[in-house]
Structures are given as C-alpha cells and as structure tokens.
Amino acid sequence: MALEKIEYDASHCQRCSTCKWSHIWEIKSHRFSRNCPSIWYGMYDAYAAQGKNDIATGLLKGEIDWNTSREKLLEIIYRCPLCAACDINCKRIMDLDIIGVLDALREEACEKGHGPLPQHKEFIQSITNYDNVWKQPRTRRANWAKKLDIKDLSKKGEKADVLYYVGCTYAYKPGMETVPQGTARIMKKAGVDFGILGAKEVCCGGIADNVGDKKSFDEIAEKNLKMFEEVGAKTIVTNCPGCYMTFSEKYARYLKKDTKDLPYVVKHSTMYIDELIQAGKIKLKKNLNMRVTYHDPCHLGRRGEPYKHWEGKRIQWGLTDPPRELNRGVNGIYEPPRNILKAIPGLKLVEMERIKEYAWCCGSGAGSKSAYPDFALAVAKERIEEAETTGASAIVSACPWCEANLSDGIDACGSKMKVMDILDVIEQSMEG
Amino acid sequence: MAFSDIAYRALQDVLGEENATNDPVVCQAYSRVQWLPPGVLQRERCGLDMRPACVVMPGSTEEVQRIVKIANRYKFPFIPRGSGFTFTAFPTMAGTLVIDPKRMNRIVELNEQDMYAVIEPYVSFVGLQSEAMKVGLTIPTPLAGAHVSCLANYAWHGAYGNSWLTGIGAQNLLGFELVLPTGDIVRSGSMACPEAGDFWNDGPGPDLRGFLRGGLFGHAGGMGVVTKISCKLWQWPGPAVWPTKGNAKMKTSSGFPEDQFRWYMIKFPCKYPEQEEMELKKSAELFYEMGKAEIAAVATHLAKQFLYTYSSQTKQDLFDNMEKDVFPCGFVVVGLQASTSLRQLEYEEKVLKEMVAKVGGIFVKEDEPAYQTWIGRAANEWLRFGNAQRLARPSDNFSIGASNVDSIDMIVYDILEGNKIERELLAGPKHLGKDFVQPLSVHGGWISPQEYGYWCLMTTDVFPEQAPDQAREAIEIIGNIARQQIKNKSSATIVHLLGPAYDTLGPMFGNIHLIMKKFKNEFDPHNLSNPGYATRPDVLSPEELQKMAGGH
Ligand SMILES: Cc1cc2nc3c(=O)[nH]c(=O)nc-3n(C[C@H](O)[C@H](O)[C@H](O)COP(=O)(O)OP(=O)(O)OC[C@H]3O[C@@H](n4cnc5c(N)ncnc54)[C@H](O)[C@@H]3O)c2cc1C
Ligand code: SF4
Ligand code: SF4
C-alpha cells in the first residue's frame, strides 16, 4: 500500500500551517503572502499539505475510506499542481517528506482503481498509442526540425556529444516550434555537436508518475533509458522543465540512484546556454529595450533539485537510519535563466515578490490544468496580477506548460503583458 | 447535542453551499493536532469525535452572528478558530461546528499616525507586519506565530520575541468586536464608540478585555467569536521590506544594517548544571539593570533547548550540534534597535556594555560557534517571528514542561526548581522521560522579561515522541512541577494542560474558575461556544487531572 511508506511523515505533521505560506523572510505583502495554490483556491484546510497529511493518516487508520466521499477525495488529491511549495516551506521547520505524501496519495488512488482521472488517462493512453501526450502521429514529432539539418541519433551510425531532447509540447504544439528551432540555431552557432531522436523520441512519462500511475511510468522510463543507452547519450539538453525533472529526478528514483550517478547528465537549455554564454561561445549583442519579470517553473526550480536516493527507516525521535538528506529546493535551477536575462543589453529584469524556491506556481502542473481548468486559470491570473505589480511588459518563462497557462491567465485578466519563452528572448538578442 | 441536516441546510442558506461543508473528507483535515501531549491524548480519548460535523467559512461579522444564532436554535456546539495550531481549536465531542475564518482576512485599517491596525481573524502576523513595515511600523513577534491568526493570538495572550518592549497580547489589544455565544455583538474600548477611532482599550466605551480571559490561558473560543480587533503597532527603524531575496537557504539570517540593529550574546561561563543557578541569577541581574535604564528591543534568556531547536536547519543538524556542544549552557540574547536614531543605538550599546561588565558577563565573540549558530541563523527571526515550530524538530513533538508568570527573580527560582524536578524524575525509579530527547528535556528556561522587566514569563519544555505513553509521562512531569510551584506559592502557574481542568484544580487557583463559570453560564446558557474549554474537564478524567496535580 503506497501510503504505508509515508505514515510517519503524514502523521507527524504538527499543523503549524507553514506549508500554506511563503517563507517568512520572503513575504513582502499581505496580498502575496500565500504559497500553496491548492488551499488558496480551495480554502478548506483539506487542500493544504497539512490537510492532505490528515487525510492520508485518516485513510491509514481507516477513519475515512474511498467510499466516504470518493469524488471529494479525488478532487483534493488531484487539484494540486505538485508544485512542492508546501514541501520546501515545511522543511524549514520539520524534516518530513511532504511531497512524498502527496505522491503516495496519488499512487494509492491508482492502486485502488480510483485514479488517475479520465483526463489523465487520455494523456497516458496517448503516450501508449503515439509516444506523445498530444495524440499526434509519431511521424510529425520532428517536423519542427525540417530544413534545420540536425543529426538524427536514432539512425544507425549517427553520433553526437549532446542529445537534444525536445519533449512533446515543444515538438507538437502549434506556435511553440520556434523554441526548439531557436535552441537548435543557438547550439549550432555555438558549435555544439548535437543531435535529436527524430520521430523516435518518446514522451518522458513525467505525467504518468505525477498522476500516480507508476506502472505506466516505469514502462516509459525503461523505454527511454534504453534509448539513451543505445544512442550513447552522455549529455541531454532539454527545454522542457517537466522533461528535465523527469530525467534528473524521476529516472534517478526509478533506478534507485542519486541524480549524480545517472549514466547521463541532463541540463535544462537555460543551464546549457548560460554555460555557452560564460564560455564566450554565444554573444547576446542586440539591445532589447524591455522590462521583464521572470516566472520560475516549479519543475526547474524547487523540483529541479538533484535527487538523493535514500532507503532506510525512521528510528528513535524520527531520526533516519541511514541519515537522509531531504531536498529543500535550494539547489534548483534559479540563476541560469536570470544570468541569461541579465546578460541581454537593454533588458531590465524586475523580480516579483514570490520567486525562486518560494515562487507562486502557474497552476498547470501534474495534470491539474487538464482536470481542473478553472483552478489552473485562477492560479495563473494570480501570478499575472503579481507580475503586473512589477511594471514589466512581459513575463518570461522557460516552460511550455507555464507559458500556455500564463497566456490564458493574461487573456482572462485582460492584461496587456506578453508571455515570452526565454529562448525566444535569447534569439532576439542574438539576431544581427 | 446533535448536528442535524436541517441545521446544515440553514448554514448553507446563510453562507452559500461553497462556504459550509459536512463532507467527512474535508472535515478530516480539522480533526487532529498532535504536537502536544494533550493533543495526543485528546485524539486517543476523543477519536473521531474530534472531527467536526461541519466546517463553515463566514465572510463577515453578520454571517458569524447568523451562524451563532443557528447554533443556538439547533443546539450544536461551535468552535471559532484561527489557523488551528492549538489543541483548544479542536472539537472534543461529536456534532461540533468549526468556524474557519479564511474569508475574513482583511486589514481593515492601518493607521500610521495613531499606530494601530484593525484586522479580521485570518490576517496572519507576517502579513500584517509586512504591511506595517512599509510605513515604518511593526508588531509584536510571536515565536511560533508568523502564520497564525494575529487576532487569535492577541485574544489568547500571545508572548513575543520582543516582549521585552511590547509586553504580551493583552497589552497590544486596543479593542475588539465580539459575537457573544448568544449571537449578540459587543465592542470593547474605543471600538465601541462609532467615529471615535479604534485607538484605545480604555474607552470611550467599556474595556472588556478581561472578558476574553478564562484565566491566564485566554478564552479559547469559549466566549463567542471575536470578529475584529484593533492592535497596537510599534516603531520599526528597519527597511520597508525584509532584506532577503529568494534562496533563503537557512544558512544565514537575513542581514540588517548595523546602523539599525545590533545583536549580542552574553554568557556567564559556568559548569552545567552545577552552576546553573549562578548563570540564571546573573542573567536576572542583567535584566534588572537593563530595565532600569529602559534600553533594548529584545532581551531574553535562552536555555539549551531553545538555542538548539530554533537554530536548527535539519533534525540531523540539531543532533550534530548537540554532539558538538555548540551551546554548552544558556545565553542572554539582547537586540538593540535604532528606534529613533543611530545615536540612540550607540548610547544603548555603551550602557549595555557597562552593565554586562558590572554583572560579570562576557560578550560571546563573533567567531564562537554559539554566536555563529545563533546570531547567524536565528536571531533576526525574533524581530520577524521566531521559528518555534522548530521546537518539534528533536522528536516531532514537544511538550511545555512548565510555564509561569512572575517577577524575574521568582521565574529564575521556578526554572531552577522545574529543571531540578525533571532531573530527579528522570533519575528516579520510574525514569520519567527516559525516552525523551536528552539533555534538551532537562535544560529548560526561556526567561522572557516583559515590558523592561516589569514582569516576566517563562517556559521549560520537554521532548517526548508522539506516543500516548510518552504523553502521559510528560503530563506527569508537568503535574509534578505544577505541584511544586503551587506549594512554593509562585504566583500564577500556567500549566498549559489545565485549560479544561479548573473544576478539579480550581481551589489551587483561588477558585478563579467560579467567576468565569458564572460569566460563561450567563453569556452562553446552552454551553455551545467551544464547550470543551476553558472551564470544563471534558477531555481528561478527574483522576488524570489529580495525577497531573501530583495527587493534590
Ligand atoms: C511550537 C509552538 C510554539 C509556540 N510559541 C508561542 C509563542 O511564542 N507565543 C505565543 O503567543 N504563542 C505560541 N504558541 C501558541 C500558538 O501558536 C498561538 O497561541 C497562536 O496564536 C495560535 O493561533 P492560531 O491562529 O493557530 O489559533 P487557533 O489554534 O486556531 O486558536 C487558538 C484558540 O483561540 C480560539 N479562537 C481562535 N479564533 C478565535 C476567534 N475569532 N474568536 C474567539 N476565539 C478564537 C480558538 O477556539 C482556540 O481555542 C506556540 C505554539 C506552538 C505549537
Ligand atoms: S508545514 Fe509541515 S508540519 Fe506544518 S502543517 Fe504544513 S505539512 Fe504540517
Ligand atoms: S504541491 Fe503546491 S498546490 Fe499542492 S499542496 Fe503543495 S503547495 Fe499546495
């Protein structure tokens, strides 16, 4: 039973509410002091990590069960983007694996045949049928790369230093192809020897893990890991924070290894490009007279921290044997995108109140936008309202999911702001 | 007292469907609080009766009033709550309604000139402080309170990191609006007088603050629902926003300019525990001296248990630091702030140095591990709200061993007695507390002098695990300390467990509970407003209460 492994953590929540709010040093106003979108929207404590701990404990103790209120239980479990703000904030004061509890609730829902939700099943079915979440034919996966003359490493004999993994959304979503195209052009300009998997690229499977369908996830992970091995991938670069986190954290967890011991190194494109800029291989020359703010994608930020595998048990006083180092979000990918933006002449980066490991999630992660679009939209609007207070004309991000949801938020607010992918901003500054 | 469908529908009619729920899964999230032994026992004893039958979210005083009237019509108990950190905010009987204040979260007024704020129940301390700082003001800073309801804390006699300057909650409560258990509204202080401005607790209008106090433990929701308070604001010489940016790695405390704040740690080198008495008495002497000169914003004595827990980054880090003996004994911590000017700060520093020399104290040097760990990581939090939630870090549970208010001297005496009793019980045949985290559990002593030392508050904590047998041991320890304190006639013992215990222990407290009961009967004739508290022994049996009081 999935919940058993988190029994200690769920039942030792001290109900202090730290998980509902931003870090006390970070809070700059009453208005933007919240950090958990789920309870901000749902209001009742059940939607916060604290409440989910109580619910997990209640399920374990038989105080509630799936027949008690199945629909509500599913809503509480799934109307949450797994942004981990709760987890990071809680660890400031306790040593509980809160994100582990949220994951386990989803796994439990699937084990008991109640999850994932129909919208999630569609994604997973699509991966099974088409290797992507968007029900698109495999043959169109590399359409974005036409005319760019990029090596296809899935073809026999092709080799490259870097595997550029595009991900389903950038590969298929109309209008988003500029991002992989730009990335490819930038890498070419920098003289990077890279290739793609062409039509053989398979969804990373992160969504299956996020919604608790571990079986499907394991199968996808196995498939991808085999492919990475076959093409000899040592460095993987991706633009999608979801894929990045899946390869660096979820695959490590699947292999029961630390991220650092994976057979490959995975880098988000902002990390890679930041390195290229530092090494002088890329020059950002063109003046961009803009005032922008940057939205930290959760999967790149607090969830983008390298995974440290642990197997052991709780001993006296809740200490762990062997000692366990929990992720605290502090080693997420925060600086590379900021370094890049700061390196662009004329561009002024202005920060929102909730940033880095205390960033407000866009609201779309872990299947919440597909299953709960109203929730996702409200959370995005909240972020846009926060962004507006900076006086920026654009909100820049580095994630296709955040960008799509924030765009919806802008439309709903009637805001004049623009959403931009950081790669598009970089390309603009490289032109000329 | 049952909770009927008709009552539920009446609540939904008033509040709208989304603001009243009886869904058991949602209510489950309001059913347990187990960080304190009483919470552990409460859950053991009450089980699922702790799960409310219904949770409602009113959006205004009028809605609160209507909820309370429905409760009176259908005779069900109700409990108002803030964030729900404390066990008194939880039901003890089936069929209870919990009033969740999240929709009432407005800062109604922030009056810069008259230095007060009017707030609703779900305004958090940190939210209010962040707004006050923008206009050069701040608020008292409860150690566990950044995210709790400011209003619940003030009504509950909160104690603060900067209480040396501000005093406790009651001193900061300038007025309130209360929906009585019958549904009538009363207003206290100048809030009672429309157009007067909500600036003063003494009038125009009656000062009803005492009404909120069922003893030193606050009214605990037993006298209706407070829907609005006015609270005092204090000078803030610091920046308009807290000086930190993202990645607050918990490695170093966020920095303040030297011309605004300065921190000092003072030690009285001693062999512990043999010379503990000397250390505490010297600390008291220093406080008295500082009080006479009316200097400093923060002045407190912290025993090992507070130093290790509050400054811990992880559980492992805490145990490692204990292993390294980073804090070999307790320390006095002083914070000076330039409330008016840099000259004031420099003057206060000079005075402090003289006083420390006079009483034979030594300033801890910046390169000492104790300084680096405390000042580096934790000190500033005493101006922003502590991280006393970290008290639960050693064993994921903790218990207040003793808590008291008195003169500084008497508090020192109480701490010494309390620590002595704890050590004796540990060494005795029953080995009480042998499974608690040691030596933290026998090194109590948060001395928190209030209002320049005019009076003083203390707590000592013990660190059991979250298990009923250890909770019982903790309660036995508390009882033994309480008995000693009562025997010593050391004024108002606040044994945190005793909220519901006055019926049994009342005579030891001068029968104060009888007058409270009269009030309660008068204003809550059906005993609906948080009936488990504060004057009835619902949760613990009389035998247990007797035991807690050491057989008295
Ligand atoms: C580790 C730890 C350390 C602590 N340290 C401190 C400290 O240093 N200083 C301090 O002051 N406190 C401290 N506390 C106690 C606690 O945090 C505070 O009392 C806090 O104010 C509780 O706030 P809350 O919003 O959670 O209130 P709740 O727990 O929800 O409510 C507290 C009580 O007030 C009643 N109540 C709540 N709202 C209303 C209302 N609107 N009208 C009427 N009654 C109401 C409730 O019924 C309940 O009985 C500590 C607690 C812990 C666990
Ligand atoms: S911060 Fe952690 S311990 Fe506190 S209520 Fe949230 S989950 Fe529980
Ligand atoms: S993961 Fe995010 S939305 Fe979900 S409970 Fe935690 S903070 Fe809230």
Side-chain angles (χ1 to χ4, degrees):
Chain A
M1 191 176 161
L3 289 179
E4 270 156 19
K5 54 187 184 212
I6 51 80
E7 184 187 359
Y8 185 93
D9 302 75
S11 62
H12 282 78
C13 158
Q14 61 167 325
R15 228 196 180 290
C16 62
S17 289
T18 305
C19 52
K20 299 168 188 166
W21 306 81
S22 218
H23 188 302
I24 49 173
W25 297 352
E26 293 295 321
I27 291 173
K28 297 173 181 71
S29 69
H30 179 51
R31 169 74 180 82
F32 297 117
S33 51
R34 308 294 196 86
N35 224 180
C36 167
S38 182
I39 190 174
W40 168 82
Y41 185 79
M43 302 283 270
Y44 292 105
D45 280 358
Y47 293 93
Q50 163 258 306
K52 288 167 193 165
N53 283 327
D54 288 344
I55 288 167
T57 307
L59 283 168
L60 276 162
K61 288 194 183 304
E63 292 174 354
I64 44 171
D65 61 33
W66 283 93
N67 298 321
T68 313
S69 181
R70 182 178 175 277
E71 294 311 312
K72 193 46 93 181
L73 196 46
L74 285 171
E75 183 191 85
I76 289 165
I77 292 174
Y78 283 108
R79 204 169 72 191
C80 151
L82 290 186
C83 71
C86 50
D87 186 70
I88 298 314
N89 281 300
C90 176
K91 296 222 181 79
R92 200 162 55 75
I93 47 123
M94 297 287 277
D95 297 69
L96 303 175
D97 180 11
I98 299 303
I99 203 73
V101 174
L102 307 190
D103 267 338
L105 278 166
R106 288 168 185 229
E107 200 179 334
E108 174 86 1
C110 293
E111 275 176 15
K112 293 274 165 19
H114 303 285
L117 300 177
Q119 297 86 342
H120 305 147
K121 283 186 183 147
E122 268 191 52
F123 282 135
I124 294 165
Q125 193 59 48
S126 174
I127 303 174
T128 313
N129 294 346
Y130 307 102
D131 285 337
N132 67 73
V133 290
W134 300 116
K135 296 185 198 154
Q136 296 295 312
R138 289 182 183 82
T139 46
R140 282 177 46 198
R141 187 154 192 127
N143 276 5
W144 63 270
K146 275 184 189 159
K147 297 188 200 145
L148 285 174
D149 189 23
I150 302 171
K151 283 187 202 172
D152 184 344
L153 303 182
S154 69
K155 291 197 177 132
K156 232 180 164 177
E158 286 283 26
K159 288 269 166 264
D161 295 343
V162 172
L163 166 62
Y164 173 42
Y165 180 93
V166 184
C168 307
T169 305
Y170 283 126
Y172 288 108
K173 275 268 152 173
M176 286 200 170
E177 64 281 0
T178 56
V179 172
Q181 286 165 349
T183 311
R185 280 192 290 267
I186 291 168
M187 288 210 277
K188 281 192 167 204
K189 265 194 193 164
V192 179
D193 176 26
F194 73 99
I196 57 175
L197 293 173
K200 294 269 168 57
E201 190 181 278
V202 171
C203 171
C204 68
I207 184 72
D209 185 67
N210 281 337
V211 299
D213 183 349
K214 303 292 169 190
K215 193 168 157 283
S216 299
F217 171 75
D218 288 356
E219 283 164 14
I220 303 166
E222 197 52 51
K223 212 165 164 181
N224 270 316
L225 286 162
K226 202 159 152 253
M227 172 72 99
F228 295 162
E229 197 185 329
E230 272 168 23
V231 304
K234 289 277 164 266
T235 302
I236 302 172
V237 172
T238 180
N239 298 99
C240 175
C243 305
Y244 167 76
M245 184 223 169
T246 303
F247 296 151
S248 91
E249 196 244 296
K250 292 182 192 288
Y251 284 15
R253 183 152 38 89
Y254 169 71
L255 292 172
K256 301 188 178 195
K257 285 184 169 171
D258 286 1
T259 297
K260 66 173 172 30
D261 297 329
L262 282 169
Y264 53 80
V265 171
V266 56
K267 292 184 176 173
H268 184 260
S269 50
T270 53
M271 300 160 78
Y272 198 69
I273 291 171
D274 184 33
E275 285 170 17
L276 292 175
I277 295 171
Q278 309 287 340
K281 295 193 175 158
I282 295 179
K283 299 258 181 299
L284 303 176
K285 285 187 267 185
K286 197 170 158 208
N287 211 51
L288 294 188
N289 234 334
M290 300 170 79
R291 186 180 167 93
V292 305
T293 190
Y294 176 73
H295 167 77
D296 290 281
C298 305
H299 287 143
L300 194 57
R302 52 189 163 236
R303 301 218 63 187
E305 184 160 318
Y307 174 71
K308 283 154 263 163
H309 188 65
W310 177 82
E311 271 171 79
K313 56 179 192 307
R314 292 270 187 180
I315 51 172
Q316 197 183 25
W317 304 320
L319 284 159
T320 50
D321 179 27
R324 180 180 189 185
E325 204 185 318
L326 287 160
N327 278 10
R328 283 158 204 279
V330 292
N331 297 316
I333 312 305
Y334 305 112
E335 296 313 326
R338 287 179 168 79
N339 291 343
I340 295 171
L341 291 172
K342 284 178 197 160
I344 295 176
L347 183 143
K348 183 157 172 51
L349 173 66
V350 279
E351 296 281 12
M352 287 182 272
E353 289 191 17
R354 293 170 287 192
I355 58 170
K356 300 184 182 175
E357 67 263 51
Y358 308 106
W360 179 256
C361 168
C362 79
S364 79
S368 51
K369 188 168 173 74
S370 54
Y372 301 101
D374 293 350
F375 162 75
L377 186 63
V379 179
K381 279 167 68 181
E382 166 77 358
R383 190 58 160 167
I384 296 301
E385 282 174 27
E386 186 179 351
E388 291 248 347
T389 63
T390 65
S393 60
I395 179 164
V396 176
S397 196
C399 168
W401 302 87
C402 296
E403 285 153 26
N405 199 38
L406 291 172
S407 291
D408 291 348
I410 283 185
D411 292 345
C413 290
S415 164
K416 290 202 171 58
M417 284 188 101
K418 277 197 302 185
V419 176
M420 296 180 80
D421 190 286
I422 190 160
L423 255 296
D424 289 334
V425 181
I426 299 169
E427 260 225 308
Q428 280 185 30
S429 176
M430 282 175 73
E431 280 165 12
Chain B
M1 281 190 281
F3 200 89
S4 67
D5 281 352
I6 313 174
Y8 179 53
R9 278 201 298 278
L11 290 165
Q12 285 202 321
D13 285 347
V14 168
L15 301 166
E17 271 183 33
E18 67 283 15
N19 296 317
T21 182
N22 61 2
D23 190 299
V25 171
V26 178
C27 292
Q28 184 76 16
Y30 295 79
S31 71
R32 75 176 66 230
V33 58
Q34 294 184 203
W35 58 264
L36 268 186
V40 174
L41 293 188
Q42 187 166 311
R43 197 64 167 80
E44 197 197 30
R45 184 70 44 88
C46 303
L48 264 190
D49 283 351
M50 273 184 77
R51 184 162 84 200
C54 180
V55 180
V56 289
M57 283 197 207
S60 64
T61 303
E62 291 66 37
E63 285 186 359
V64 171
Q65 212 179 1
R66 294 179 72 185
I67 293 166
V68 171
K69 287 192 171 158
I70 292 171
N72 276 275
R73 191 178 329 138
Y74 296 104
K75 306 279 179 296
F76 57 80
F78 63 87
I79 302 183
R81 39 167 281 185
S83 74
F85 200 8
T86 325
F87 64 98
T88 57
F90 289 79
T92 54
M93 61 188 76
T96 300
L97 173 88
V98 161
I99 304 176
D100 184 331
K102 289 201 196 71
R103 287 177 63 225
M104 296 178 72
N105 66 348
R106 285 162 288 232
I107 297 176
V108 180
E109 184 186 355
L110 206 156
N111 192 316
E112 187 182 342
Q113 202 180 345
D114 293 335
M115 294 171 69
Y116 69 83
V118 180
I119 53 166
E120 291 187 332
Y122 202 61
V123 173
S124 70
F125 271 103
V126 70
L128 178 59
Q129 193 195 40
S130 61
E131 296 304 328
M133 274 162 51
K134 289 177 189 160
V135 294
L137 298 170
T138 188
I139 58 176
T141 54
L143 304 180
H147 313 298
V148 301
S149 150
C150 229
L151 177 148
N153 185 278
Y154 282 124
W156 216 67
H157 292 261
Y160 311 112
N162 52 356
S163 278
W164 170 257
L165 187 67
T166 65
I168 59 163
Q171 274 86 42
N172 290 275
L173 191 60
L174 298 180
F176 61 85
E177 177 182 82
L178 173 71
V179 174
L180 287 167
T182 50
D184 298 316
I185 295 181
V186 291
R187 294 189 182 88
S188 176
S190 55
M191 202 177 260
C193 185
E195 313 298 325
D198 302 331
F199 65 97
W200 201 28
N201 47 34
D202 283 319
D207 175 5
L208 298 174
R209 282 177 301 167
F211 196 74
L212 291 184
R213 292 174 224 164
L216 277 157
F217 206 39
H219 82 313
M223 281 292 196
V225 187
V226 183
T227 46
K228 204 164 70 174
I229 61 164
S230 170
C231 58
K232 198 166 168 178
L233 300 175
W234 297 78
Q235 292 286 353
W236 172 249
V241 291
W242 196 256
T244 182
K245 283 195 192 68
N247 280 99
K249 291 195 182 187
M250 297 169 36
K251 293 237 160 63
T252 50
S253 201
S254 68
F256 278 114
E258 276 267 294
D259 59 355
Q260 291 170 343
F261 293 95
R262 287 181 203 168
W263 285 107
Y264 310 85
M265 270 181 107
I266 296 133
K267 61 183 173 187
F268 300 95
C270 67
K271 196 162 172 306
Y272 180 82
E274 294 81 351
Q275 293 171 303
E276 183 182 35
E277 185 173 349
M278 177 280 289
E279 190 234 313
L280 294 185
K281 285 187 168 165
K282 288 276 181 195
S283 304
E285 227 180 301
L286 178 59
F287 291 137
Y288 279 123
E289 291 293 329
M290 288 172 63
K292 275 189 246 163
E294 296 190 351
I295 58 162
V298 175
T300 190
H301 173 275
L302 296 168
K304 280 187 195 202
Q305 52 186 221
F306 301 104
L307 295 161
Y308 281 116
T309 50
Y310 291 176
S311 66
S312 65
Q313 293 176 340
T314 65
K315 193 191 275 276
Q316 192 63 48
D317 168 73
L318 189 155
F319 281 86
D320 289 349
N321 276 346
M322 274 164 56
E323 184 78 30
K324 286 187 239 157
D325 206 20
V326 167
F327 301 112
C329 57
F331 291 87
V332 169
V333 174
V334 174
L336 302 183
Q337 75 180 32
S339 295
T340 56
S341 64
L342 181 58
R343 276 183 63 202
Q344 176 211 341
L345 198 159
E346 280 166 353
Y347 159 77
E348 290 195 8
E349 188 178 63
K350 267 190 210 148
V351 176
L352 178 70
K353 282 181 176 162
E354 258 179 45
M355 284 167 176
V356 170
K358 184 172 164 194
V359 299
I362 296 174
F363 285 100
V364 180
K365 293 200 189 75
E366 285 185 22
D367 57 358
E368 289 183 45
Y371 187 98
Q372 286 177 352
T373 309
W374 182 260
I375 305 291
R377 294 175 177 184
N380 279 339
E381 293 186 350
W382 284 55
L383 297 167
R384 179 62 159 176
F385 311 107
N387 276 322
Q389 303 101 307
R390 289 191 192 140
L391 279 171
R393 197 161 235 165
S395 58
D396 298 325
N397 189 247
F398 85 99
S399 170
I400 292 166
S403 195
N404 203 355
V405 293
D406 213 312
S407 65
I408 302 177
D409 279 344
M410 201 60 199
I411 284 299
V412 165
Y413 176 69
D414 283 342
I415 291 174
L416 289 169
E417 286 286 297
N419 286 348
K420 200 171 90 195
I421 291 167
E422 278 171 25
R423 283 174 211 135
E424 280 166 9
L425 292 173
L426 182 66
K430 279 168 118 184
H431 288 300
L432 280 186
K434 68 177 182 317
D435 295 321
F436 298 2
V437 180
Q438 305 293 353
L440 293 190
S441 295
V442 293
H443 195 271
W446 174 33
I447 307 179
S448 177
Q450 311 280 318
E451 301 172 276
Y452 294 134
Y454 173 60
W455 61 287
C456 189
L457 184 146
M458 71 85 151
T459 62
T460 70
D461 293 345
V462 292
F463 299 87
E465 289 173 304
Q466 190 202 84
D469 53 335
Q470 292 196 32
R472 280 192 194 88
E473 280 187 33
I475 284 168
E476 209 172 325
I477 292 172
I478 298 169
N480 274 283
I481 298 174
R483 179 174 56 164
Q484 192 58 39
Q485 287 178 337
I486 291 164
K487 222 182 196 166
N488 293 348
K489 298 220 175 320
S490 65
S491 92
T493 305
I494 324 164
V495 181
H496 279 216
L497 199 64
L498 300 188
Y502 288 117
D503 277 336
T504 309
L505 301 177
M508 298 176 211
F509 293 89
N511 278 331
I512 181 89
H513 69 301
L514 296 181
I515 183 90
M516 288 312 295
K517 274 196 160 192
K518 277 190 187 155
F519 277 132
K520 176 81 173 161
N521 288 339
E522 193 63 35
F523 290 98
D524 187 9
H526 306 298
N527 195 22
L528 300 175
S529 184
N530 205 356
Y533 304 94
T535 56
R536 291 161 48 104
D538 286 303
V539 179
L540 299 165
S541 66
E543 298 76 51
E544 260 168 330
L545 293 169
Q546 290 288 2
K547 207 166 148 200
M548 278 164 40
H552 266 250

